[in-house]
Amino acid sequence: MPKLYALVAVVSAALIGCATHADKLQDIRAAYNSGNTTAAKTKLDAAIAKNGGDADVLKLDRAMVLLSEGNYREAEKLLREVRDRFEEKEGKDLAEGALSMLTDDQQLAYAGEDYEKVLIRVMLALCNLLGDGADATAYALQVNQKQQLIIEKSKSKDAEGKNLKANYKYVPVGPYLHAALREETHTNYDDVARSLELVAQWLPDFPPAKQDLERAKSGRHSRPGCGVLYVFTLIGRGPYKDEKAEIATTAAMLVADRILTAAGKQSLPPTIAPIKVPRVVRPINQVASVNVNVIGHPEGRTQTITDIGQMASEQCEALMTETLARAIVRRVVKKGIVYGVKEAIGTDKSQMTSLALNAAGVVWEATESADTRCWGLLPDKIQVLRLELPAGEHTLNLQTVGKNGAFIGPAHITKVQVRDGRNTYALANFPDARLVGKIVTNDAK
């Protein structure tokens, strides 16, 4: 019997969980949000090298750092790579799924949360707009196409068999970008109007929606001798996942316990370890918008076109039933294995052996960690302001605004070139009051 105790000890030690992804992400987020993009890249590169299995999700964060620095081509390349990898992983985790029942969901190849899969397309469109824009229309269309596929192909069901993803909200930035690109052609105003109608439908509180739609229906991009400047801002520290313990005394767990207990005469390990699940955390952000001042012209403030924090939180809650169910099933599987071992070795002959296996079962359950892998450097919101300006060079001044309407950060200035009848794009990242990286424009060749 000493060998049995030794085996229990070895198995228990091997199952002790390591730090969660949320723990690993703390230093990276801190460096990035403080504006130290060099340190953020160094930490990300080290994490990618060390955690090969999680390289894809870490590459998403690296792409955000590159984009903030103005390296939008390399960022687009990374985003395309991860997008394609996520596509390959969908529906191909059967072996990993079986292993995850013995450990936790971190054993599954990470294929992205639903909102992340959609937002990859958004960020691809923004990156491409800052380059030659050749693929931006396709990326913009992919935003809604991907979300529709996610909803239609969902296998996530509630107790009544209803689709848990049916109430996902669509992402208005997709049709907004499509409308901006089609409007620039000066010939596709019906397409523009249809896309802007979706924006108004999905985001009725978006202040410019009515004015934009009226302009599209009138068939005008801009006045003669003028062009359009779109200022996109990434606002606030975005959502991330952290581990939360849920008490395992749910009805489903009790039913599972009773079924397994009734199957034999052996007792099961006590259900005292809580179930660990990932929950979306939304940091408290001080930035409400960005004031946009083009010297010599009326100024304005960016408006939210997509609330990423809200999107992530709502989708997490929509799927929480499924997340809890997986954790409960995992608990039952582990209990069943302990039960099977006790049946096989006949623990009724040794009370000490039975107690040792019970203790090992408790340890096995307790060593689970929630899967907190996520795209950790997303902003809380994507905001935009459209300005019609005379063609020529302009001085663009951006400054963050707090929730009380007052300026809270320093001014950041760059030059932009507005072209007659064309769109110019600028992108700036403000996780806090100060700019991270630089203001990136598509005329900076």
Side-chain angles (χ1 to χ4, degrees):
M1 205 57 63
K3 291 183 178 180
L4 174 61
Y5 295 124
L7 178 62
V8 170
V10 170
V11 171
S12 299
L15 290 170
I16 294 176
C18 57
T20 65
H21 187 82
D23 297 327
K24 302 170 187 175
L25 195 59
Q26 284 183 355
D27 289 345
I28 296 170
R29 283 174 59 90
Y32 178 74
N33 291 333
S34 68
N36 192 343
T37 56
T38 300
K41 280 193 300 185
T42 299
K43 294 177 185 295
L44 278 166
D45 289 343
I48 290 170
K50 185 178 180 180
N51 303 281
D54 293 338
D56 288 335
V57 70
L58 292 166
K59 286 178 180 179
L60 291 176
D61 289 328
R62 198 178 198 283
M64 295 303 295
V65 179
L66 292 170
L67 179 56
S68 296
E69 292 180 328
N71 192 350
Y72 45 81
R73 291 186 180 88
E74 186 63 26
E76 182 180 354
K77 180 181 177 181
L78 269 182
L79 290 168
R80 285 175 64 98
E81 176 186 333
V82 178
R83 179 201 63 182
D84 294 345
R85 289 269 295 164
F86 280 2
E87 291 289 307
E88 292 172 3
K89 291 177 182 177
E90 288 186 0
K92 294 184 178 181
D93 60 354
L94 294 179
E96 293 171 335
L99 179 59
S100 75
M101 289 297 102
L102 302 179
T103 52
D104 54 44
D105 278 350
Q106 294 180 95
Q107 296 299 320
L108 296 170
Y110 191 72
E113 295 290 351
D114 291 337
Y115 69 90
E116 293 171 343
K117 296 173 185 177
V118 174
L119 290 170
I120 285 177
R121 277 80 177 170
V122 174
M123 293 303 172
L124 278 168
L126 291 174
C127 286
N128 197 257
L129 284 176
L130 296 170
D132 58 18
D135 296 322
T137 298
Y139 289 142
L141 289 171
Q142 287 176 22
V143 173
N144 295 343
Q145 291 168 354
K146 184 59 182 175
Q147 186 153 14
Q148 188 170 355
L149 282 173
I150 287 171
I151 294 171
E152 290 176 352
K153 294 185 176 182
S154 170
K155 296 180 181 179
S156 301
K157 309 293 182 181
D158 63 13
E160 299 176 354
K162 295 179 180 178
N163 186 353
L164 291 174
K165 302 181 183 182
N167 293 324
Y168 275 8
K169 293 180 181 177
Y170 279 84
V171 184
V173 69
Y176 185 86
L177 289 169
H178 181 255
L181 289 158
R182 300 303 283 169
E183 189 177 32
E184 191 181 23
T185 68
H186 297 266
T187 59
N188 296 282
Y189 290 105
D190 288 344
D191 285 349
V192 176
R194 281 191 289 270
S195 290
L196 289 174
E197 284 171 352
L198 289 177
V199 174
Q201 176 185 341
W202 296 342
L203 193 63
D205 295 333
F206 184 58
K210 183 178 180 181
Q211 180 181 349
D212 288 345
L213 190 53
E214 289 176 353
R215 185 186 64 255
K217 289 180 177 179
S218 70
R220 181 181 68 83
H221 170 270
S222 55
R223 298 184 301 273
C226 294
V228 172
L229 171 64
Y230 284 92
V231 180
F232 287 94
T233 54
L234 309 180
I235 297 297
R237 292 166 294 145
Y240 63 93
K241 290 190 286 187
D242 204 356
E243 184 174 272
K244 180 178 175 61
E246 296 286 349
I247 302 301
T249 56
T250 63
M253 188 65 202
L254 289 173
V255 170
D257 269 343
R258 290 168 184 166
I259 291 173
L260 290 173
T261 303
K265 56 187 178 181
Q266 302 293 342
S267 63
L268 288 171
T271 305
I272 60 173
I275 295 174
K276 298 173 183 177
V277 296
R279 289 279 188 179
V280 168
V281 177
R282 294 189 69 181
I284 298 174
N285 288 304
Q286 57 178 327
V287 180
S289 63
V290 173
N291 189 73
V292 180
N293 181 16
V294 178
I295 306 302
H297 299 277
E299 61 187 38
R301 293 184 176 180
T302 55
Q303 304 284 343
T304 299
I305 187 67
T306 293
D307 190 327
I308 294 174
Q310 181 179 11
M311 181 182 179
S313 296
E314 289 179 350
Q315 290 191 8
C316 177
E317 288 304 312
L319 298 181
M320 188 50 62
T321 298
E322 182 179 64
T323 303
L324 285 168
R326 282 186 60 82
I328 292 171
V329 169
R330 198 157 47 237
R331 179 70 57 80
V332 173
V333 167
K334 292 177 179 180
K335 285 179 178 294
I337 290 173
V338 173
Y339 164 81
V341 171
K342 292 168 72 175
E343 284 286 319
I345 66 176
T347 57
D348 56 317
K349 299 177 181 179
S350 173
Q351 185 65 25
M352 290 301 295
T353 300
S354 179
L355 289 174
L357 283 169
N358 280 354
V362 172
V363 172
W364 194 6
E365 294 171 5
T367 53
E368 284 191 20
S369 292
D371 186 1
T372 56
R373 292 173 293 180
C374 65
W375 191 350
L377 298 187
L378 282 170
D380 186 53
K381 296 179 176 69
I382 300 174
Q383 297 190 339
V384 65
L385 178 66
R386 182 189 191 274
L387 294 173
E388 186 174 325
L389 299 168
E393 186 178 77
H394 297 274
T395 300
L396 177 64
N397 182 319
L398 303 182
Q399 191 170 10
T400 50
V401 177
K403 294 180 180 180
N404 63 355
F407 294 131
I408 58 173
H412 299 275
I413 298 174
T414 193
K415 299 289 186 180
V416 293
Q417 190 70 35
V418 175
R419 295 162 292 171
D420 188 4
R422 302 294 302 279
N423 291 344
T424 297
Y425 303 97
L427 178 72
N429 182 17
F430 292 95
D432 283 306
R434 293 178 177 274
L435 177 73
V436 168
K438 64 180 183 178
I439 302 171
V440 188
T441 65
N442 68 319
D443 63 298
K445 301 294 187 289

